[in-house]
Amino acid sequence: MPKALRPAAMVLVLLVILGGCSTAQPSPTADPAAAATLLGAAWDDRTPFRAGLVAAAQDILEELPGASVYQIDLQIPAALDVLAGRQSVRYTNQEGVPLQAIYFQLFPNIAGGRTTISAARVDGQAVTPAYEYGDSTMHLDLPAALQPGGQVVIDLEYTLDIPRDLGGNYGLYGYFEGLLVLDRFYPVIPVYDGSGWNAQELPPTGDLTYYDASFYLVRVTAPAALTLVASGVEIARERAGQEQVVIFAAGPMRDFYLAAGEGLEAVSTT
Protein backbone atom coordinates (compact mmCIF):
# COMPACT_ATOMS: atom_id res chain seq x y z
CA MET A 1 0.00 0.00 0.00
CA PRO A 2 1.47 3.42 -0.89
CA LYS A 3 2.57 5.63 1.94
CA ALA A 4 0.30 8.47 2.96
CA LEU A 5 1.05 11.82 1.38
CA ARG A 6 1.91 14.54 3.86
CA PRO A 7 -0.58 17.43 3.62
CA ALA A 8 2.11 19.82 2.37
CA ALA A 9 2.96 17.38 -0.42
CA MET A 10 -0.71 17.08 -1.35
CA VAL A 11 -0.94 20.84 -1.79
CA LEU A 12 2.12 20.79 -4.08
CA VAL A 13 0.57 17.99 -6.13
CA LEU A 14 -2.62 19.98 -6.47
CA LEU A 15 -0.70 23.04 -7.61
CA VAL A 16 0.91 20.94 -10.35
CA ILE A 17 -2.47 19.57 -11.41
CA LEU A 18 -3.91 23.05 -11.57
CA GLY A 19 -1.01 24.18 -13.73
CA GLY A 20 -3.06 23.67 -16.91
CA CYS A 21 -5.39 26.51 -15.93
CA SER A 22 -5.11 29.81 -17.74
CA THR A 23 -5.08 33.20 -16.04
CA ALA A 24 -8.35 34.00 -14.25
CA GLN A 25 -10.63 36.74 -15.53
CA PRO A 26 -13.12 38.89 -13.57
CA SER A 27 -16.42 37.27 -12.74
CA PRO A 28 -19.27 38.19 -15.11
CA THR A 29 -22.23 40.16 -13.86
CA ALA A 30 -24.89 37.83 -12.48
CA ASP A 31 -27.98 37.26 -14.58
CA PRO A 32 -30.93 39.05 -12.87
CA ALA A 33 -33.07 36.02 -13.66
CA ALA A 34 -30.77 33.93 -11.48
CA ALA A 35 -31.15 36.03 -8.33
CA ALA A 36 -32.83 33.13 -6.54
CA THR A 37 -29.76 30.88 -6.81
CA LEU A 38 -27.41 30.59 -3.86
CA LEU A 39 -24.55 32.53 -5.44
CA GLY A 40 -26.60 34.53 -7.92
CA ALA A 41 -25.28 32.79 -11.06
CA ALA A 42 -27.65 31.25 -13.58
CA TRP A 43 -27.54 27.47 -13.63
CA ASP A 44 -26.82 27.36 -17.37
CA ASP A 45 -24.25 30.16 -17.38
CA ARG A 46 -20.89 28.51 -18.02
CA THR A 47 -18.99 31.74 -18.56
CA PRO A 48 -17.31 31.58 -15.12
CA PHE A 49 -15.66 28.27 -16.06
CA ARG A 50 -13.90 29.55 -19.18
CA ALA A 51 -11.04 30.99 -17.13
CA GLY A 52 -10.15 27.53 -15.87
CA LEU A 53 -9.77 25.86 -19.26
CA VAL A 54 -6.99 26.13 -21.82
CA ALA A 55 -8.06 27.19 -25.32
CA ALA A 56 -8.16 23.63 -26.65
CA ALA A 57 -10.69 22.62 -23.97
CA GLN A 58 -13.16 25.51 -24.29
CA ASP A 59 -15.59 23.54 -26.49
CA ILE A 60 -16.45 21.24 -23.59
CA LEU A 61 -18.51 24.07 -22.12
CA GLU A 62 -21.01 23.64 -24.95
CA GLU A 63 -21.39 19.97 -24.11
CA LEU A 64 -22.53 18.02 -21.02
CA PRO A 65 -26.00 19.64 -20.91
CA GLY A 66 -27.11 17.38 -18.05
CA ALA A 67 -24.06 17.82 -15.85
CA SER A 68 -24.81 18.65 -12.22
CA VAL A 69 -24.08 22.20 -11.11
CA TYR A 70 -22.99 22.83 -7.50
CA GLN A 71 -23.12 26.24 -5.84
CA ILE A 72 -21.45 26.11 -2.42
CA ASP A 73 -21.06 28.77 0.27
CA LEU A 74 -18.45 27.78 2.89
CA GLN A 75 -17.60 29.66 6.11
CA ILE A 76 -14.22 28.91 7.71
CA PRO A 77 -13.85 30.34 11.27
CA ALA A 78 -10.57 31.49 12.80
CA ALA A 79 -10.56 28.44 15.09
CA LEU A 80 -10.67 26.09 12.08
CA ASP A 81 -12.82 23.70 14.09
CA VAL A 82 -16.44 23.76 12.89
CA LEU A 83 -17.16 24.99 9.37
CA ALA A 84 -20.61 26.07 8.14
CA GLY A 85 -21.80 25.24 4.66
CA ARG A 86 -24.75 25.89 2.40
CA GLN A 87 -25.10 24.41 -1.04
CA SER A 88 -27.51 24.18 -3.92
CA VAL A 89 -27.12 21.57 -6.62
CA ARG A 90 -29.16 21.22 -9.77
CA TYR A 91 -29.41 17.56 -10.68
CA THR A 92 -30.66 16.22 -14.01
CA ASN A 93 -32.01 12.70 -14.40
CA GLN A 94 -29.96 11.41 -17.33
CA GLU A 95 -31.16 7.83 -16.86
CA GLY A 96 -33.93 5.98 -18.66
CA VAL A 97 -36.02 5.40 -15.53
CA PRO A 98 -37.76 7.68 -13.00
CA LEU A 99 -35.82 8.35 -9.80
CA GLN A 100 -37.58 8.22 -6.45
CA ALA A 101 -34.68 9.59 -4.39
CA ILE A 102 -31.34 11.38 -4.71
CA TYR A 103 -28.30 10.02 -2.89
CA PHE A 104 -25.36 11.90 -1.37
CA GLN A 105 -22.12 10.65 0.12
CA LEU A 106 -20.73 12.31 3.26
CA PHE A 107 -16.99 11.74 3.14
CA PRO A 108 -16.14 13.50 6.45
CA ASN A 109 -18.12 10.84 8.32
CA ILE A 110 -15.54 8.17 7.47
CA ALA A 111 -12.51 10.47 7.74
CA GLY A 112 -12.57 11.29 11.45
CA GLY A 113 -14.87 14.30 11.15
CA ARG A 114 -18.59 14.82 10.93
CA THR A 115 -21.16 16.28 8.54
CA THR A 116 -24.34 17.38 10.30
CA ILE A 117 -27.24 18.25 7.99
CA SER A 118 -29.48 20.89 9.55
CA ALA A 119 -31.85 21.51 6.62
CA ALA A 120 -32.68 19.87 3.30
CA ARG A 121 -35.07 21.04 0.58
CA VAL A 122 -36.03 19.74 -2.85
CA ASP A 123 -37.33 22.48 -5.15
CA GLY A 124 -38.02 24.53 -2.04
CA GLN A 125 -39.94 21.79 -0.22
CA ALA A 126 -38.48 20.57 3.08
CA VAL A 127 -37.53 16.88 3.17
CA THR A 128 -36.06 14.65 5.87
CA PRO A 129 -32.69 12.97 5.17
CA ALA A 130 -32.27 9.24 5.74
CA TYR A 131 -28.85 7.74 6.47
CA GLU A 132 -27.12 4.47 5.68
CA TYR A 133 -23.70 2.82 6.04
CA GLY A 134 -22.66 4.45 9.27
CA ASP A 135 -24.07 7.80 8.16
CA SER A 136 -21.62 7.98 5.27
CA THR A 137 -24.50 7.89 2.77
CA MET A 138 -27.65 10.02 2.81
CA HIS A 139 -30.67 9.90 0.57
CA LEU A 140 -33.54 12.33 0.10
CA ASP A 141 -36.88 10.92 -0.98
CA LEU A 142 -38.30 13.15 -3.69
CA PRO A 143 -41.79 14.65 -3.32
CA ALA A 144 -42.52 13.30 -6.82
CA ALA A 145 -40.62 10.91 -9.06
CA LEU A 146 -38.00 12.63 -11.19
CA GLN A 147 -38.69 11.61 -14.75
CA PRO A 148 -35.94 11.06 -17.35
CA GLY A 149 -34.70 14.46 -18.47
CA GLY A 150 -36.26 16.17 -15.45
CA GLN A 151 -34.35 18.46 -13.10
CA VAL A 152 -34.50 19.27 -9.38
CA VAL A 153 -32.68 21.79 -7.22
CA ILE A 154 -31.56 20.46 -3.85
CA ASP A 155 -30.61 22.87 -1.06
CA LEU A 156 -28.62 21.72 1.97
CA GLU A 157 -27.36 23.43 5.11
CA TYR A 158 -24.75 21.72 7.25
CA THR A 159 -21.82 22.00 9.62
CA LEU A 160 -18.48 20.23 9.31
CA ASP A 161 -16.46 19.09 12.33
CA ILE A 162 -12.74 19.19 11.54
CA PRO A 163 -10.57 16.45 13.09
CA ARG A 164 -7.05 17.07 14.42
CA ASP A 165 -6.00 13.42 14.25
CA LEU A 166 -5.39 11.55 11.01
CA GLY A 167 -8.53 9.66 10.09
CA GLY A 168 -9.39 7.51 7.08
CA ASN A 169 -8.09 7.82 3.55
CA TYR A 170 -4.56 9.05 4.26
CA GLY A 171 -5.59 12.14 6.21
CA LEU A 172 -7.22 13.94 3.29
CA TYR A 173 -9.73 15.67 5.57
CA GLY A 174 -8.81 17.62 8.70
CA TYR A 175 -6.34 20.09 10.17
CA PHE A 176 -2.81 18.71 10.38
CA GLU A 177 0.62 20.33 10.70
CA GLY A 178 -0.78 23.79 10.10
CA LEU A 179 -2.78 22.83 7.01
CA LEU A 180 -6.55 22.59 6.64
CA VAL A 181 -7.23 19.92 4.00
CA LEU A 182 -10.78 19.48 2.76
CA ASP A 183 -11.19 16.61 0.34
CA ARG A 184 -14.86 16.08 -0.58
CA PHE A 185 -16.02 18.19 2.34
CA TYR A 186 -19.42 18.83 0.71
CA PRO A 187 -22.28 16.32 0.27
CA VAL A 188 -21.70 14.89 -3.20
CA ILE A 189 -24.02 12.92 -5.50
CA PRO A 190 -22.60 9.53 -6.59
CA VAL A 191 -23.04 7.99 -10.01
CA TYR A 192 -26.30 6.32 -10.99
CA ASP A 193 -25.75 3.59 -13.60
CA GLY A 194 -27.12 0.24 -14.68
CA SER A 195 -26.61 -1.06 -11.15
CA GLY A 196 -28.51 1.83 -9.58
CA TRP A 197 -26.98 4.31 -7.16
CA ASN A 198 -23.32 3.69 -6.39
CA ALA A 199 -23.84 4.61 -2.76
CA GLN A 200 -22.30 1.64 -1.01
CA GLU A 201 -20.29 1.89 2.19
CA LEU A 202 -17.19 4.02 1.71
CA PRO A 203 -13.90 2.21 2.41
CA PRO A 204 -11.41 3.84 4.82
CA THR A 205 -8.69 4.13 2.15
CA GLY A 206 -8.34 4.24 -1.62
CA ASP A 207 -9.70 6.28 -4.50
CA LEU A 208 -13.31 6.98 -3.54
CA THR A 209 -14.11 9.34 -6.41
CA TYR A 210 -16.84 7.85 -8.58
CA TYR A 211 -18.87 10.90 -9.46
CA ASP A 212 -20.20 12.43 -12.65
CA ALA A 213 -18.30 15.35 -14.13
CA SER A 214 -19.93 18.48 -12.70
CA PHE A 215 -19.53 22.24 -12.47
CA TYR A 216 -18.61 23.92 -9.18
CA LEU A 217 -19.01 27.53 -8.11
CA VAL A 218 -17.69 27.87 -4.55
CA ARG A 219 -17.59 30.95 -2.32
CA VAL A 220 -15.24 30.71 0.66
CA THR A 221 -15.27 33.15 3.58
CA ALA A 222 -12.11 32.65 5.66
CA PRO A 223 -9.60 34.49 7.85
CA ALA A 224 -7.54 36.85 5.70
CA ALA A 225 -4.29 35.32 6.97
CA LEU A 226 -5.03 32.01 5.23
CA THR A 227 -3.79 31.21 1.74
CA LEU A 228 -6.48 29.25 -0.09
CA VAL A 229 -5.61 26.60 -2.66
CA ALA A 230 -8.50 25.08 -4.56
CA SER A 231 -9.58 23.21 -7.64
CA GLY A 232 -10.30 25.41 -10.65
CA VAL A 233 -9.48 29.12 -10.64
CA GLU A 234 -10.22 32.16 -8.52
CA ILE A 235 -12.71 34.46 -10.25
CA ALA A 236 -13.47 37.01 -7.53
CA ARG A 237 -11.95 38.23 -4.27
CA GLU A 238 -12.69 40.90 -1.67
CA ARG A 239 -11.39 41.79 1.78
CA ALA A 240 -13.74 42.63 4.67
CA GLY A 241 -11.86 43.46 7.87
CA GLN A 242 -10.03 40.33 9.03
CA GLU A 243 -11.84 38.13 6.51
CA GLN A 244 -11.48 37.37 2.83
CA VAL A 245 -14.24 36.25 0.49
CA VAL A 246 -13.03 34.29 -2.53
CA ILE A 247 -15.06 32.65 -5.30
CA PHE A 248 -13.67 29.67 -7.22
CA ALA A 249 -15.02 28.21 -10.46
CA ALA A 250 -14.15 24.64 -11.43
CA GLY A 251 -15.48 22.34 -14.09
CA PRO A 252 -16.15 20.06 -15.63
CA MET A 253 -14.57 18.10 -12.76
CA ARG A 254 -15.49 15.02 -10.78
CA ASP A 255 -14.57 16.58 -7.45
CA PHE A 256 -13.74 19.88 -5.73
CA TYR A 257 -10.80 20.21 -3.34
CA LEU A 258 -9.81 22.99 -0.97
CA ALA A 259 -6.76 23.47 1.25
CA ALA A 260 -5.75 26.42 3.43
CA GLY A 261 -2.86 27.47 5.60
CA GLU A 262 -0.76 30.41 6.67
CA GLY A 263 2.50 31.21 4.92
CA LEU A 264 1.76 29.24 1.75
CA GLU A 265 2.86 30.49 -1.65
CA ALA A 266 0.71 29.62 -4.65
CA VAL A 267 2.65 28.94 -7.85
CA SER A 268 1.06 28.00 -11.17
CA THR A 269 1.93 27.71 -14.83
CA THR A 270 0.20 26.93 -18.10
Side-chain angles (χ1 to χ4, degrees):
M1 179 176 293
K3 292 183 179 180
L5 286 175
R6 293 172 65 86
M10 290 188 293
V11 172
L12 290 176
V13 170
L14 285 165
L15 291 174
V16 172
I17 293 173
L18 296 177
C21 299
S22 58
T23 303
Q25 302 297 323
S27 177
T29 302
D31 183 347
T37 64
L38 180 60
L39 300 186
W43 291 116
D44 292 320
D45 181 13
R46 295 190 173 173
T47 307
F49 308 103
R50 292 195 177 281
L53 297 173
V54 295
Q58 293 289 324
D59 288 348
I60 194 66
L61 294 177
E62 307 303 324
E63 304 175 17
L64 304 175
S68 294
V69 182
Y70 291 80
Q71 294 189 17
I72 302 173
D73 186 21
L74 182 68
Q75 308 278 332
I76 301 178
L80 305 179
D81 52 357
V82 180
L83 282 53
R86 297 184 299 154
Q87 79 179 47
S88 293
V89 53
R90 187 183 70 176
Y91 179 81
T92 302
N93 181 3
Q94 301 184 78
E95 314 309 321
V97 297
L99 299 178
Q100 306 295 332
I102 304 294
Y103 278 74
F104 289 84
Q105 290 186 314
L106 308 178
F107 176 70
N109 290 2
I110 60 106
R114 187 72 183 175
T115 302
T116 302
I117 306 295
S118 57
R121 295 179 295 277
V122 175
D123 286 341
Q125 181 174 337
V127 294
T128 301
Y131 298 91
E132 305 172 38
Y133 304 117
D135 295 348
S136 66
T137 296
M138 172 185 77
H139 72 264
L140 304 176
D141 291 329
L142 301 176
L146 183 62
Q147 300 299 321
Q151 297 178 328
V152 291
V153 173
I154 299 169
D155 297 299
L156 298 173
E157 298 178 18
Y158 49 87
T159 57
L160 303 168
D161 291 338
I162 305 299
R164 258 56 178 179
D165 298 320
L166 290 175
N169 217 43
Y170 308 115
L172 294 177
Y173 177 84
Y175 182 70
F176 318 112
E177 300 181 18
L179 284 178
L180 178 66
V181 286
L182 301 175
D183 184 36
R184 283 161 289 191
F185 63 90
Y186 57 97
V188 58
I189 300 174
V191 166
Y192 185 101
D193 57 20
S195 301
W197 288 104
N198 286 265
Q200 64 274 12
E201 185 172 5
L202 293 171
T205 57
D207 184 0
L208 310 183
T209 303
Y210 186 37
Y211 310 128
D212 294 312
S214 303
F215 292 90
Y216 296 89
L217 201 60
V218 182
R219 179 172 63 200
V220 181
T221 302
L226 293 180
T227 298
L228 304 177
V229 180
S231 305
V233 295
E234 178 183 314
I235 62 170
R237 169 184 291 271
E238 65 180 22
R239 175 78 176 260
Q242 298 301 309
E243 290 188 326
Q244 59 182 319
V245 181
V246 184
I247 298 178
F248 297 98
M253 303 185 76
R254 297 188 186 279
D255 192 8
F256 182 86
Y257 181 91
L258 177 67
E262 295 189 23
L264 302 180
E265 180 182 358
V267 178
S268 64
T269 186
T270 300

